[in-house]
Short mmCIF file of all heavy atoms in Angstrom, two decimals:
data_model
loop_
_atom_site.label_atom_id
_atom_site.label_comp_id
_atom_site.label_asym_id
_atom_site.label_seq_id
_atom_site.Cartn_x
_atom_site.Cartn_y
_atom_site.Cartn_z
N LYS Q 70 20.52 -4.93 -8.98
CA LYS Q 70 21.05 -4.69 -7.59
C LYS Q 70 20.06 -5.06 -6.44
O LYS Q 70 18.90 -4.64 -6.74
CB LYS Q 70 21.81 -3.48 -7.41
CG LYS Q 70 23.03 -3.10 -8.38
CD LYS Q 70 23.57 -1.79 -7.91
CE LYS Q 70 22.59 -0.67 -7.96
NZ LYS Q 70 23.24 0.58 -7.62
N LYS Q 71 20.49 -5.46 -5.34
CA LYS Q 71 19.50 -5.67 -4.29
C LYS Q 71 18.72 -4.48 -3.85
O LYS Q 71 17.56 -4.38 -3.50
CB LYS Q 71 20.21 -6.40 -3.09
CG LYS Q 71 19.30 -6.78 -1.97
CD LYS Q 71 20.09 -7.49 -0.99
CE LYS Q 71 19.04 -8.10 0.22
NZ LYS Q 71 19.90 -8.85 1.24
N GLU Q 72 19.59 -3.34 -3.90
CA GLU Q 72 18.99 -2.13 -3.36
C GLU Q 72 18.09 -1.26 -4.38
O GLU Q 72 17.35 -0.39 -3.95
CB GLU Q 72 20.17 -1.14 -3.08
CG GLU Q 72 21.21 -1.73 -2.18
CD GLU Q 72 22.20 -2.58 -2.83
OE1 GLU Q 72 22.41 -2.61 -4.06
OE2 GLU Q 72 22.71 -3.53 -2.08
N SER Q 73 18.05 -1.72 -5.61
CA SER Q 73 17.39 -0.88 -6.66
C SER Q 73 16.38 -1.68 -7.40
O SER Q 73 16.65 -2.79 -7.79
CB SER Q 73 18.49 -0.33 -7.61
OG SER Q 73 18.02 0.50 -8.56
N PHE Q 74 15.32 -1.01 -7.75
CA PHE Q 74 14.16 -1.66 -8.43
C PHE Q 74 13.51 -0.56 -9.32
O PHE Q 74 12.43 -0.07 -8.91
CB PHE Q 74 13.19 -2.34 -7.55
CG PHE Q 74 12.22 -3.32 -8.20
CD1 PHE Q 74 12.63 -4.14 -9.12
CD2 PHE Q 74 10.88 -3.28 -7.55
CE1 PHE Q 74 11.60 -4.96 -9.66
CE2 PHE Q 74 9.96 -4.15 -8.27
CZ PHE Q 74 10.24 -5.11 -9.34
N PRO Q 75 14.12 -0.02 -10.46
CA PRO Q 75 13.49 1.04 -11.20
C PRO Q 75 12.31 0.45 -11.99
O PRO Q 75 12.27 -0.64 -12.55
CB PRO Q 75 14.65 1.48 -12.00
CG PRO Q 75 15.54 0.23 -12.20
CD PRO Q 75 15.48 -0.37 -10.91
N LEU Q 76 11.36 1.44 -12.15
CA LEU Q 76 10.26 1.15 -13.01
C LEU Q 76 10.11 2.07 -14.23
O LEU Q 76 10.31 3.22 -14.03
CB LEU Q 76 8.88 1.31 -12.20
CG LEU Q 76 7.57 1.24 -12.90
CD1 LEU Q 76 7.28 -0.21 -13.23
CD2 LEU Q 76 6.46 1.93 -12.07
N THR Q 77 10.00 1.51 -15.38
CA THR Q 77 9.89 2.30 -16.55
C THR Q 77 8.37 2.20 -17.12
O THR Q 77 7.75 1.13 -17.23
CB THR Q 77 10.83 1.78 -17.80
OG1 THR Q 77 12.20 1.93 -17.24
CG2 THR Q 77 10.48 2.56 -19.05
N VAL Q 78 7.81 3.33 -17.12
CA VAL Q 78 6.55 3.55 -17.67
C VAL Q 78 6.64 3.80 -19.21
O VAL Q 78 7.25 4.88 -19.59
CB VAL Q 78 5.72 4.60 -17.09
CG1 VAL Q 78 4.34 4.68 -17.51
CG2 VAL Q 78 5.90 4.56 -15.53
N THR Q 79 6.17 2.85 -20.04
CA THR Q 79 6.45 3.02 -21.50
C THR Q 79 5.23 3.66 -22.04
O THR Q 79 4.16 3.80 -21.50
CB THR Q 79 6.62 1.63 -22.19
OG1 THR Q 79 5.33 0.97 -22.21
CG2 THR Q 79 7.59 0.74 -21.25
N SER Q 80 5.46 4.08 -23.39
CA SER Q 80 4.46 4.71 -24.17
C SER Q 80 3.24 3.78 -24.38
O SER Q 80 2.22 4.23 -24.78
CB SER Q 80 4.88 5.19 -25.58
OG SER Q 80 5.53 4.10 -26.15
N ALA Q 81 3.41 2.46 -24.20
CA ALA Q 81 2.27 1.44 -24.33
C ALA Q 81 1.32 1.48 -23.18
O ALA Q 81 0.31 1.00 -23.33
CB ALA Q 81 2.93 0.08 -24.47
N GLN Q 82 1.71 2.14 -22.14
CA GLN Q 82 0.77 2.29 -21.10
C GLN Q 82 -0.32 3.31 -21.26
O GLN Q 82 -0.04 4.44 -21.55
CB GLN Q 82 1.44 2.63 -19.75
CG GLN Q 82 0.62 3.06 -18.44
CD GLN Q 82 -0.45 2.08 -18.13
OE1 GLN Q 82 -1.56 2.49 -18.10
NE2 GLN Q 82 -0.16 0.85 -18.04
N LYS Q 83 -1.52 2.78 -21.41
CA LYS Q 83 -2.59 3.73 -22.01
C LYS Q 83 -3.04 4.91 -20.98
O LYS Q 83 -3.45 5.97 -21.46
CB LYS Q 83 -3.79 2.85 -22.15
CG LYS Q 83 -3.63 1.80 -23.19
CD LYS Q 83 -3.09 2.37 -24.68
CE LYS Q 83 -2.80 1.33 -25.70
NZ LYS Q 83 -2.28 1.87 -26.82
N ASN Q 84 -2.95 4.70 -19.71
CA ASN Q 84 -3.41 5.73 -18.78
C ASN Q 84 -2.37 5.82 -17.67
O ASN Q 84 -2.58 5.39 -16.57
CB ASN Q 84 -4.78 5.27 -18.15
CG ASN Q 84 -5.31 6.35 -17.29
OD1 ASN Q 84 -4.94 7.52 -17.39
ND2 ASN Q 84 -6.33 5.99 -16.48
N PRO Q 85 -1.19 6.47 -17.93
CA PRO Q 85 -0.14 6.36 -17.01
C PRO Q 85 -0.22 7.37 -15.92
O PRO Q 85 0.54 7.22 -14.91
CB PRO Q 85 1.11 6.69 -17.87
CG PRO Q 85 0.52 7.47 -19.11
CD PRO Q 85 -0.90 7.01 -19.28
N THR Q 86 -1.10 8.40 -15.92
CA THR Q 86 -1.10 9.37 -14.89
C THR Q 86 -1.57 8.73 -13.64
O THR Q 86 -2.71 8.15 -13.62
CB THR Q 86 -2.08 10.52 -15.29
OG1 THR Q 86 -1.62 11.37 -16.44
CG2 THR Q 86 -2.27 11.45 -14.18
N ALA Q 87 -0.81 8.76 -12.57
CA ALA Q 87 -1.19 8.15 -11.33
C ALA Q 87 -0.06 8.31 -10.30
O ALA Q 87 0.85 8.96 -10.57
CB ALA Q 87 -1.15 6.51 -11.52
N PHE Q 88 -0.26 7.83 -9.05
CA PHE Q 88 0.62 8.04 -8.03
C PHE Q 88 1.30 6.52 -7.91
O PHE Q 88 0.67 5.59 -7.74
CB PHE Q 88 -0.02 8.30 -6.76
CG PHE Q 88 0.79 8.68 -5.54
CD1 PHE Q 88 1.85 9.55 -5.61
CD2 PHE Q 88 0.54 8.18 -4.32
CE1 PHE Q 88 2.68 9.83 -4.55
CE2 PHE Q 88 1.33 8.41 -3.22
CZ PHE Q 88 2.34 9.30 -3.35
N TYR Q 89 2.70 6.47 -8.02
CA TYR Q 89 3.43 5.19 -8.10
C TYR Q 89 4.10 5.04 -6.68
O TYR Q 89 4.81 5.96 -6.33
CB TYR Q 89 4.39 5.25 -9.26
CG TYR Q 89 3.56 5.10 -10.59
CD1 TYR Q 89 3.26 6.20 -11.19
CD2 TYR Q 89 3.33 3.93 -11.12
CE1 TYR Q 89 2.58 6.19 -12.53
CE2 TYR Q 89 2.53 3.73 -12.27
CZ TYR Q 89 2.22 4.91 -12.96
OH TYR Q 89 1.65 4.92 -14.15
#
Side-chain angles (χ1 to χ4, degrees):
Chain Q
K70 297 187 300 181
K71 187 175 184 178
E72 303 80 22
S73 179
F74 192 41
L76 174 74
T77 296
V78 184
T79 75
S80 56
Q82 169 50 234
K83 299 302 180 191
N84 187 18
T86 294
F88 189 49
Y89 290 89

